[in-house]
Amino acid sequence: PLMPLSDTDGRHVTYSFVRERFPDGSYIDYKFTNSDDPDCRDKDPETEVGRLDKFPLYPSFTSRSLYRGLLKEKTACRADGVVVLSETYNYAHIGTQSFKSVSQHRYVNRLIVFAAYVVNPCDYPALVSKEVIRRMDDGTYLTDVQEYSYNNLRLPESVKQFRKVGAGVETDSSTEVFYYPKDRTEGVFALMQEAGMHGVTVGKATLRDGNVIQATESTYIEREVDTDMETARTVYLPQKTFTSQLDTPKTLSTFQSSPMSYMKPCPDAHAKVWDSRGNVKFVGFRKGAGSEYHWSTRSSQPVLKVQSEDIPFNSVRKSHSIRIGYLSQEYSTNFKTIEVKPFEASL
């Protein structure tokens, strides 16, 4: 049914289908999850407990708003209707648990006696697969698939990628496995968990045919940083990033037993200097280059990145002042030429 936008009573205005048209006649169709899907509708409580005849329950329901508005399909077509790209997304329920919701109670001998409550189930949507079909110039189609799995903290555990060739045939299959502080035994990772840093990726392994062929590991350091409060705050910052040195593929269980033993001895990147607020100021790289980062007083990202191929890995060059207005120029120093350019998102 149609509802005037001026009379939605605060409700979300959502669409199950949207078509985006372009001047050349081509278009893209989007399909989203919505309330017309039974799985996306708000639900009644799982159970009701108590003297419901004497203590009627207040209205209660389990919201399924997280399941509405998720992209299900995306289809790109030429002006003549030929499909050139098709994407399909599938979701699953993870992290299922139940919560009691007190609805009515009363006092008996100065103690609260719960008279009635409901149990509402709660879970979360998670993308479990994505299939992309592309039309090639010769009229054939390629199908690429990604499959996702999650751990008990609802964090991505692995991503499998492969190409479909015919019915049930997979090629170019590889899997990436992700590791978090809970998967490492060093003391700093236990402290990171205590600080709530459960979702930080500290390692990644790439598998083919079930064996590890490539991996990265990151180490962290504990530091005290200044805050706007009177007391300092303890934070955990990335310090070193290593890549693997595997002569032959290793089984996943072998690699997981001692991941650092398969890393190159020298880190690919080594953060060496931070400011008083925990912002990294200098990063050295294994190949001999280095990057210096400049921050304003309250910036959340660097305002300037200075790169040089001649900053030695094992040394820290003295900080120098560069005016932001000179971003497009080059500066000559004792380290030959330093290229000055705006900050790039990937450090």
Side-chain angles (χ1 to χ4, degrees):
L2 298 178
M3 179 178 293
L5 293 179
S6 59
D7 189 29
T8 59
D9 194 26
R11 298 181 181 89
H12 293 285
V13 179
T14 56
Y15 299 91
S16 302
F17 175 83
V18 174
R19 172 166 290 181
E20 182 181 14
R21 291 188 178 275
F22 299 94
D24 63 357
S26 61
Y27 57 91
I28 301 176
D29 288 342
Y30 303 89
K31 291 183 179 180
F32 300 93
T33 58
N34 206 345
S35 298
D36 50 8
D37 183 343
D39 192 48
C40 300
R41 298 172 187 166
D42 295 338
K43 296 185 177 181
D44 293 329
E46 193 173 72
T47 57
E48 298 179 342
V49 180
R51 293 288 303 277
L52 303 182
D53 55 336
K54 295 183 177 297
F55 301 95
L57 293 172
Y58 297 140
S60 179
F61 65 93
T62 298
S63 172
R64 308 293 288 175
S65 61
L66 293 177
Y67 287 85
R68 298 191 284 270
L70 301 175
L71 181 61
K72 294 196 302 183
E73 296 178 19
K74 175 183 175 181
T75 306
C77 300
R78 300 187 319 204
D80 59 3
V82 173
V83 176
V84 296
L85 176 70
S86 175
E87 298 179 1
T88 303
Y89 299 81
N90 293 296
Y91 303 88
H93 303 208
I94 63 172
T96 302
Q97 49 191 315
S98 296
F99 296 93
K100 291 181 179 179
S101 176
V102 176
S103 182
Q104 289 277 20
H105 67 274
R106 70 176 182 181
Y107 286 95
V108 176
N109 297 327
R110 296 184 179 182
L111 296 177
I112 294 179
V113 176
F114 296 108
Y117 65 86
V118 298
V119 177
N120 288 311
C122 175
D123 52 41
Y124 303 85
L127 179 67
V128 292
S129 69
K130 174 185 176 181
E131 182 177 278
V132 180
I133 303 175
R134 295 180 176 86
R135 187 179 191 275
M136 310 308 291
D137 293 338
D138 60 1
T140 60
Y141 288 87
L142 291 180
T143 303
D144 293 312
V145 180
Q146 293 181 332
E147 296 178 343
Y148 304 82
S149 66
Y150 302 84
N151 62 22
N152 57 357
L153 296 177
R154 309 198 312 272
L155 299 170
E157 190 170 51
S158 67
V159 179
K160 180 182 178 181
Q161 306 178 66
F162 59 91
R163 176 161 291 173
K164 276 186 178 180
V165 182
V169 180
E170 301 177 5
T171 63
D172 299 328
S173 177
S174 66
T175 301
E176 288 187 337
V177 179
F178 303 97
Y179 299 98
Y180 302 93
K182 73 179 186 64
D183 302 313
R184 297 293 178 256
T185 57
E186 290 81 354
V188 68
F189 293 121
L191 295 173
M192 289 171 65
Q193 293 182 74
E194 293 178 6
M197 300 177 64
H198 302 285
V200 177
T201 304
V202 299
K204 182 175 71 173
T206 302
L207 285 67
R208 285 193 184 276
D209 301 323
N211 295 319
V212 178
I213 60 170
Q214 180 180 322
T216 61
E217 287 288 317
S218 297
T219 62
Y220 280 71
I221 187 173
E222 179 181 348
R223 293 184 67 89
E224 296 288 327
V225 299
D226 295 338
T227 66
D228 295 329
M229 309 298 290
E230 294 183 359
T231 58
R233 181 167 60 96
T234 301
V235 298
Y236 303 93
L237 305 171
Q239 184 184 31
K240 299 178 183 179
T241 300
F242 297 84
T243 55
S244 59
Q245 183 173 309
L246 299 172
D247 298 327
T248 58
K250 306 296 180 183
T251 64
L252 185 59
S253 59
T254 299
F255 170 80
Q256 290 180 156
S257 64
S258 180
M260 285 301 297
S261 65
Y262 297 105
M263 299 295 126
K264 296 174 182 177
C266 186
D268 287 67
H270 185 177
K272 291 174 172 287
V273 182
W274 295 265
D275 65 18
S276 61
R277 289 180 172 268
N279 299 315
V280 64
K281 294 184 65 177
F282 180 82
V283 178
F285 300 104
R286 181 168 57 87
K287 295 183 179 180
S291 292
E292 185 173 319
Y293 300 91
H294 294 256
W295 306 75
S296 68
T297 306
R298 297 190 178 279
S299 60
S300 60
Q301 289 189 338
V303 296
L304 187 67
K305 176 183 177 182
V306 182
Q307 273 188 296
S308 172
E309 295 297 324
D310 300 297
I311 301 176
F313 176 77
N314 292 319
S315 67
V316 177
R317 181 165 55 82
K318 291 183 178 180
S319 177
H320 60 281
S321 176
I322 296 178
R323 291 176 58 185
I324 302 300
Y326 295 147
L327 286 177
S328 61
Q329 299 184 17
E330 291 184 345
Y331 291 79
S332 296
T333 69
N334 294 332
F335 297 93
K336 298 180 181 178
T337 300
I338 291 180
E339 180 186 357
V340 182
K341 57 185 178 180
F343 168 68
E344 298 171 352
S346 57
L347 300 182

